[in-house]
Amino acid sequence: MNILLLEDDLILSAELCRFLESNNFTCDKIYDGETFLRQIKNNTYDLYLLDINVPKINGLDVCQTIRSFDKNTPIIIISAYGDISDKKDAFTRLADDYLVKPFQFEELLLRINSLLRRKTPSDSSDQDIIRVDDLIINKTEQKVYRAGNEIALTLKEFQLLVYLAEAQGRTVSKQQITEHVWEHNFNTNTNTVEVYINFLRKKIDKDFKLKLIHTRSGFGYYLSPL
């Protein structure tokens, strides 16, 4: 089980990770919210531990950002703030649990194990989430995010984006796209595919230096950060 810890107290962070690793977890530690959000774009974790008062992006805002595309991975807030208003704020942002510092590590372990027991394979959204650099596609909810911002797509745009993403960087031809996205329900001699690729580029790539949708001349299209 992989845990990602957001904690800017270097001593506490190291001690927590050592404790968790001694109990058969892997633990990665991050010291600021901005780096934490970058870390989860290309890595999968089973549980998040978030301190609130951390640099750059606080733990509550990190929690809210995670929940914008991941409803299921358990989140425990660990904070020195113990007022009911602080706890209410955390649970409003869909945290699963809240532990006030200082706390016994054994109590944290009990809460972690309790949350992980509730997480059945059917709860996991991993197979329904596709990540390509800072692009996140939630297939279940039919939502797309880039750099944490939701991008509104039509149904066909979404289906085309999913097909490109599931190719995992491989080039797909116009014919393959028409077969899988439109199922031959339109004249393949038209420029519909090119039109929709352009629609996607305007929404996915236009405002970003790093372009994800590429053309391989004479072969087709692919989705990749490279």
Side-chain angles (χ1 to χ4, degrees), residues 68-69 128-132 134-155 157-162 165 200 203-205 208 212-213 223:
S68 70
F69 61 85
D128 297 319
I129 300 292
I130 304 174
R131 293 178 173 87
V132 182
D134 59 351
L135 177 71
I136 297 172
I137 305 169
N138 187 319
K139 293 169 59 180
T140 300
E141 298 185 2
Q142 296 190 339
K143 291 185 177 181
V144 175
Y145 304 86
R146 186 153 188 199
N149 298 309
E150 185 172 357
I151 299 172
L153 299 180
T154 66
L155 178 59
E157 289 169 350
F158 181 80
Q159 291 172 338
L160 175 56
L161 182 63
V162 169
L200 279 184
K203 295 184 177 182
I204 300 297
D205 282 342
F208 297 90
L212 300 179
I213 301 172
L223 184 71

Side-chain angles (χ1 to χ4, degrees), residues 82-146:
D83 292 344
I84 189 65
S85 60
D86 298 311
K87 295 178 181 179
K88 181 179 179 180
D89 198 4
F91 288 118
T92 298
R93 299 178 195 229
L94 302 182
D96 295 284
D97 206 345
Y98 194 109
L99 199 54
V100 179
K101 300 176 183 178
F103 53 82
Q104 296 292 323
F105 284 6
E106 288 292 341
E107 181 179 358
L108 174 63
L109 181 62
L110 290 172
R111 297 190 185 209
I112 289 173
N113 286 330
S114 176
L115 285 172
L116 291 177
R117 279 196 301 271
R118 297 179 206 168
K119 185 183 177 186
T120 63
S122 61
D123 292 327
S124 175
S125 61
D126 291 346
Q127 61 184 348
D128 297 319
I129 300 292
I130 304 174
R131 293 178 173 87
V132 182
D133 198 75
D134 59 351
L135 177 71
I136 297 172
I137 305 169
N138 187 319
K139 293 169 59 180
T140 300
E141 298 185 2
Q142 296 190 339
K143 291 185 177 181
V144 175
Y145 304 86
R146 186 153 188 199

Side-chain angles (χ1 to χ4, degrees), residues 14-220:
E15 290 178 347
L16 269 174
C17 277
R18 279 197 298 269
F19 173 77
L20 292 169
E21 288 166 355
S22 71
N23 283 276
N24 301 316
F25 293 96
T26 62
C27 180
D28 293 334
K29 47 187 182 291
I30 303 292
Y31 306 114
D32 70 84
E34 188 176 280
T35 304
F36 187 97
L37 289 175
R38 286 202 302 269
Q39 176 76 5
I40 66 176
K41 287 173 183 174
N42 297 307
N43 297 277
T44 300
Y45 293 92
D46 299 291
L47 184 139
Y48 302 119
L49 293 175
L50 309 179
D51 186 16
I52 293 178
N53 190 21
V54 296
K56 297 185 179 180
I57 303 176
N58 71 59
L60 292 179
D61 288 341
V62 168
C63 178
Q64 185 171 349
T65 299
I66 292 171
R67 287 296 182 241
S68 70
F69 61 85
D70 179 355
K71 305 298 184 186
N72 297 313
T73 302
I75 297 174
I76 299 177
I77 301 294
I78 51 172
S79 174
Y81 302 141
D83 292 344
I84 189 65
S85 60
D86 298 311
K87 295 178 181 179
K88 181 179 179 180
D89 198 4
F91 288 118
T92 298
R93 299 178 195 229
L94 302 182
D96 295 284
D97 206 345
Y98 194 109
L99 199 54
V100 179
K101 300 176 183 178
F103 53 82
Q104 296 292 323
F105 284 6
E106 288 292 341
E107 181 179 358
L108 174 63
L109 181 62
L110 290 172
R111 297 190 185 209
I112 289 173
N113 286 330
S114 176
L115 285 172
L116 291 177
R117 279 196 301 271
R118 297 179 206 168
K119 185 183 177 186
T120 63
S122 61
D123 292 327
S124 175
S125 61
D126 291 346
Q127 61 184 348
D128 297 319
I129 300 292
I130 304 174
R131 293 178 173 87
V132 182
D133 198 75
D134 59 351
L135 177 71
I136 297 172
I137 305 169
N138 187 319
K139 293 169 59 180
T140 300
E141 298 185 2
Q142 296 190 339
K143 291 185 177 181
V144 175
Y145 304 86
R146 186 153 188 199
N149 298 309
E150 185 172 357
I151 299 172
L153 299 180
T154 66
L155 178 59
K156 280 301 174 199
E157 289 169 350
F158 181 80
Q159 291 172 338
L160 175 56
L161 182 63
V162 169
Y163 183 63
L164 291 173
E166 288 182 336
Q168 298 181 332
R170 297 188 303 274
T171 301
V172 291
S173 67
K174 183 193 298 185
Q175 184 64 33
Q176 289 173 313
I177 292 173
T178 61
E179 290 174 359
H180 288 85
V181 178
W182 276 272
E183 299 177 349
H184 297 294
N185 290 327
F186 78 107
N187 184 351
T188 56
N189 292 323
T190 71
N191 66 346
T192 301
V193 173
E194 290 94 330
V195 169
Y196 273 82
I197 288 290
N198 286 332
F199 287 162
L200 279 184
R201 281 181 166 141
K202 289 177 181 178
K203 295 184 177 182
I204 300 297
D205 282 342
K206 181 180 177 182
D207 297 327
F208 297 90
K209 182 178 179 180
L210 178 65
K211 308 305 180 186
L212 300 179
I213 301 172
H214 307 278
T215 301
R216 188 180 175 197
S217 183
F219 292 91

